[in-house]
Amino acid sequence: RPPRSTLFPYTTLFRSLAPNLADFGNRTTVAGYLPNDVEHLKKWIKKPDDYKPGNKMYKESALSDDELEALAAYLMSLKAGQ
């Protein structure tokens, strides 16, 4: 395993590209203002630009309804300390 000092630049890079989702299920909002529930989360994942124009995500997801449902369920299951 490489020393932490050699991992630091990569850790910093990844933090700047995407948020830490480890406790996503504990959050109260999606996109900073939508209630964090399955229905709002699916809408956000499907068309994030409709809810937060200019974000760094895609304009519209190509996920099927089943994939969207599975992803939302997975994200909602991520809770710190469990």
Side-chain angles (χ1 to χ4, degrees):
R1 184 171 160 174
R4 284 185 62 121
S5 60
T6 62
L7 297 176
F8 180 74
Y10 300 108
T11 303
T12 302
L13 172 66
F14 292 135
R15 266 192 237 140
S16 68
L17 293 176
N20 182 342
L21 300 176
D23 68 340
F24 189 88
N26 291 328
R27 296 180 185 181
T28 57
T29 60
V30 175
Y33 73 98
L34 296 171
N36 190 13
D37 58 43
V38 173
E39 291 309 312
H40 284 101
L41 179 56
K42 289 191 306 186
K43 289 177 183 179
W44 164 248
I45 294 169
K46 187 73 174 170
K47 291 187 173 185
D49 209 55
D50 285 1
Y51 300 95
K52 195 169 187 176
N55 70 77
K56 294 181 181 180
M57 294 173 67
Y58 43 83
K59 298 288 183 196
E60 185 171 347
S61 168
L63 295 173
S64 70
D65 289 343
D66 287 342
E67 291 169 329
L68 189 59
E69 189 73 38
L71 179 57
Y74 171 73
L75 289 171
M76 294 303 287
S77 76
L78 298 176
K79 298 186 179 189
Q82 291 185 2

